[in-house]
Amino acid sequence: MGLHGCLNGTTFQSLKLTAIPTWCSSPFHQTQTLHFQKSPLPRAISTQTSPSTTKAPEDHGGKPQWKATIDFKWIKDNKEAVAANIRNRKSNANLDLVLQLYDQMLNLQKEVERFRGERNAVANKMKGKIEPSERQRLIEEGKNLKEGLVSLEEDLVKLNDKLQHEAQCVPNMTHPDVPIGGEDCSTIRRMVGSSPTFGFPVRDHLQLGKELDLFDFDAAAEVSGSKFYYLKNEAVLLEMALVNWTLSRVMKRGFTPLTTPEIVRSSVVEKCGFQPRAKNTQVYSIDDSDQCLIGTAEIPVGGLHMDSILADSLLPLKYVAFSHCFRTEAGAAGTATKGLYRVHQFSKVEMFIFCRPEESEYYHEELIQIEEDIFSSLGLHFKTLDMASEDLGAPAYRKFDVEAWMPGLERFGEISSASNCRDYQSRRLGIRYRPSEATVTSAKKSKGNLSPPQFIHTLNATACAVPRMIICLLEIYQQEDGSVLIPEPLRPFMGGLNVIARKS
């Protein structure tokens, strides 16, 4: 379940952190021994200097403006395709203004260079023997040129900030096979299993949780507010089992496990493609700071190699991260979002890959295959969707969602997504790699006879969003007597517990 942000023209607002408790517990340790190769996290072989920040124009709030490495020439040369992409995504990006500002910037850069050239020419003239009157004239001319140059350079900084502010709203380009339109235009890639049949009245997860003493929403509402919850008894074990079982499966596919910070800088949230401080945001921002609570581990994992150049030999870098996630769920209401389906805080296991550009579509397929294997192993009935253009958000080039059947809700509900963001995030986060000689087809070399660095591709996918998985498992495996069977793969991770039964 990706965190939706400034994407598709949606606007957001910042929300106070008060009454939002934060706590972090390590995943529950299961009894099986898990074997995997222990190695330190790969580090960048060289690190760039972080982009300098400059004051943005006053109408941007005066905050420091980070810079994305946007290929403005490519945008200008492909204006029609970019404009069509903005329309297809229902984005509010203003392409005409971006191109207008870009042309103004190019003209202003030429003017700055002209002033610098004239100033250098005046300085050269003063090196020789000249009459005092001529020297005085050149001094005055140099002074005027210097003052003019300072003014032009200040204008250039402001114009660059304004250009960045507008251009950062331009969404990623879209895979040619993505359906065009709203969510209802999404196409089914795969349907797995069939909906279970019951010879008794079906209970939803709220009724099951009440009868089996698994949740407490009322106490959580008093302590923290609506859309918070306590897990109790076997539900706690089930969450830990889901996390550890998922981690063990994904690690066998070569993913390095992580736990992440759950507070990040607002700029990192923005660089990943989300807007934390606008209207109807899904992001909790901390007042009087530049920090936010994460809505997905995609954000801190994406920032793990920020402003660095990675060695080709390290790729792909594959991570599986456990974290708590926090979302405002602005505008979410109604019976379709009741109980655990849409909450402000939840646990999640997220996969993230940094890879070479030519490999990102291959790894996108691998991520959705891992998700489908996980859900199939738990006996879920689900469908995989190729999401339509208006539902991609700004970062995704292509996105596959997984929706599982929830008998108590009598509908499919989203439990996962997998996105290929190509170089959209890496251009904003400053993450590049240096291709090895074997992969370089161009004769162009950078300093030191090295291959020039290229922007890396990033992908993310949800391996397990715990609350919605609990909904599925409780409702699918419920029995007539009100008990719930534990799926066989999870039993070793729950101390051998086979069934959740009513308390005597």
Side-chain angles (χ1 to χ4, degrees):
M1 295 180 296
L3 173 65
H4 299 286
C6 133
L7 322 172
N8 297 334
T10 306
T11 52
F12 308 110
Q13 92 182 351
S14 64
L15 286 153
K16 292 185 177 180
L17 180 61
T18 54
I20 310 298
T22 58
W23 59 86
C24 177
S25 59
S26 300
F28 184 77
H29 294 288
Q30 40 84 17
T31 55
Q32 292 185 343
T33 302
L34 189 61
H35 298 284
F36 62 98
Q37 183 178 0
K38 294 183 179 179
S39 58
L41 293 181
R43 303 309 306 169
I45 57 170
S46 66
T47 303
Q48 300 175 172
T49 302
S50 298
S52 59
T53 57
T54 57
K55 283 288 183 181
E58 289 183 5
D59 59 346
H60 296 170
K63 67 177 182 179
Q65 177 70 31
W66 54 271
K67 299 292 191 293
T69 308
I70 299 171
D71 192 340
F72 292 104
K73 184 178 184 304
W74 187 92
I75 292 176
K76 184 174 182 178
D77 292 344
N78 295 273
K79 177 182 177 180
E80 296 305 319
V82 175
N85 186 60
I86 290 172
R87 290 193 300 271
N88 290 340
R89 288 178 176 245
K90 284 290 197 301
S91 169
N92 66 346
N94 190 337
L95 180 60
D96 289 336
L97 179 57
V98 169
L99 295 177
Q100 176 187 334
L101 292 170
Y102 177 56
D103 287 338
Q104 290 177 7
M105 186 194 70
L106 292 178
N107 291 332
L108 189 55
Q109 283 178 336
K110 291 178 182 177
E111 189 70 3
V112 167
E113 290 305 316
R114 185 178 70 81
F115 264 66
R116 286 174 179 165
E118 291 181 4
R119 187 183 175 199
N120 289 338
V122 167
N124 288 333
K125 288 179 182 179
M126 294 181 65
K127 291 179 181 178
K129 290 184 178 181
I130 54 176
E131 294 293 326
S133 59
E134 178 64 10
R135 179 176 294 278
Q136 186 59 39
R137 187 188 69 79
L138 289 174
I139 289 174
E140 288 298 320
E141 184 178 356
K143 181 180 178 182
N144 291 335
L145 286 170
K146 180 181 178 180
E147 292 174 351
L149 182 59
V150 168
S151 178
L152 286 174
E153 288 175 336
E154 289 176 351
D155 290 342
L156 185 60
V157 167
K158 292 178 181 178
L159 187 57
N160 258 310
D161 282 340
K162 191 173 182 181
L163 175 59
Q164 280 280 329
H165 180 81
E166 295 297 332
Q168 286 168 15
C169 291
V170 176
N172 201 351
M173 295 302 287
T174 305
H175 191 287
D177 293 340
V178 167
I180 304 302
E183 186 176 359
D184 57 348
C185 295
S186 302
T187 58
I188 298 177
R189 281 170 49 96
R190 187 183 179 197
M191 183 75 76
V192 177
S194 57
S195 57
T197 57
F198 301 91
F200 55 88
V202 174
R203 302 171 175 86
D204 65 14
H205 75 283
L206 280 173
Q207 185 178 355
L208 289 164
K210 182 177 181 180
E211 294 175 356
L212 297 172
D213 195 22
L214 300 178
F215 319 131
D216 194 332
F217 289 94
D218 293 336
E222 291 295 324
V223 171
S224 302
S226 63
K227 294 189 181 295
F228 288 91
Y229 58 94
Y230 287 95
L231 292 184
K232 300 171 64 179
N233 299 311
E234 294 92 343
V236 177
L237 304 182
L238 185 56
E239 169 165 327
M240 302 304 178
L242 281 166
V243 168
N244 282 280
W245 176 75
T246 301
L247 284 171
S248 69
R249 285 184 68 91
V250 177
M251 287 163 59
K252 290 174 183 176
R253 303 292 292 262
F255 285 71
T256 299
L258 294 175
T259 59
T260 73
E262 293 172 0
I263 293 178
V264 296
R265 298 186 186 279
S266 300
S267 59
V268 178
V269 179
E270 293 169 353
K271 290 174 184 180
C272 287
F274 311 107
Q275 284 193 347
R277 299 180 189 273
K279 189 178 179 181
N280 294 327
T281 186
Q282 296 299 321
V283 180
Y284 281 111
S285 295
I286 302 176
D287 283 353
D288 302 319
S289 79
D290 68 340
Q291 295 173 313
C292 303
L293 296 180
I294 65 170
T296 169
E298 169 192 347
I299 295 167
V301 180
L304 183 61
H305 298 293
M306 187 168 60
D307 298 321
S308 62
I309 300 176
L310 303 171
D312 183 75
S313 59
L314 294 177
L315 301 178
L317 290 174
K318 304 162 78 173
Y319 296 107
V320 56
F322 168 79
S323 74
H324 294 106
C325 303
F326 305 86
R327 303 187 184 185
T328 70
E329 297 299 352
T335 57
T337 64
K338 64 182 180 179
L340 291 175
Y341 191 82
R342 205 174 288 281
V343 291
H344 290 312
Q345 176 185 331
F346 59 97
S347 301
K348 183 158 70 81
V349 179
E350 182 82 1
M351 298 179 287
F352 199 98
I353 296 178
F354 300 90
C355 70
R356 302 173 188 87
E358 65 273 14
E359 297 173 339
S360 63
E361 292 200 39
Y362 168 83
Y363 286 116
H364 197 198
E365 292 292 339
E366 179 182 83
L367 287 172
I368 194 64
Q369 182 186 39
I370 292 172
E371 290 179 337
E372 291 174 345
D373 288 347
I374 287 171
F375 305 140
S376 296
S377 297
L378 293 175
L380 304 189
H381 170 42
F382 63 88
K383 57 184 178 180
T384 304
L385 302 171
D386 194 349
M387 300 307 292
S389 57
E390 292 178 23
D391 197 61
L392 293 180
Y397 172 65
R398 193 178 195 181
K399 180 164 75 105
F400 302 140
D401 276 8
V402 178
E403 295 183 354
W405 181 252
M406 300 176 179
L409 297 177
E410 296 184 326
R411 67 178 178 87
F412 285 94
E414 181 191 343
I415 59 171
S416 178
S417 68
S419 299
N420 181 1
C421 297
R422 303 193 79 187
D423 65 355
Y424 181 90
Q425 292 176 326
S426 65
R427 284 180 173 273
R428 301 155 77 91
L429 290 163
I431 308 172
R432 299 181 291 169
Y433 81 106
R434 196 177 297 282
S436 63
E437 294 299 318
T439 63
V440 176
T441 57
S442 170
K444 183 179 178 181
K445 296 289 183 70
S446 61
K447 290 181 179 180
N449 205 34
L450 295 173
S451 306
Q454 299 178 21
F455 285 102
I456 211 157
H457 280 198
T458 63
L459 304 98
N460 64 84
T462 304
C464 179
V466 170
R468 294 191 184 178
M469 292 297 289
I470 289 178
I471 293 175
C472 292
L473 297 180
L474 292 181
E475 294 183 357
I476 287 173
Y477 287 100
Q478 62 180 295
Q479 305 298 299
E480 187 171 6
D481 65 359
S483 63
V484 175
L485 295 179
I486 302 298
E488 288 190 11
L490 298 180
R491 293 176 185 177
F493 294 81
M494 294 190 66
L497 185 67
N498 295 337
V499 63
I500 303 175
R502 295 192 185 200
K503 311 300 181 286
S504 56

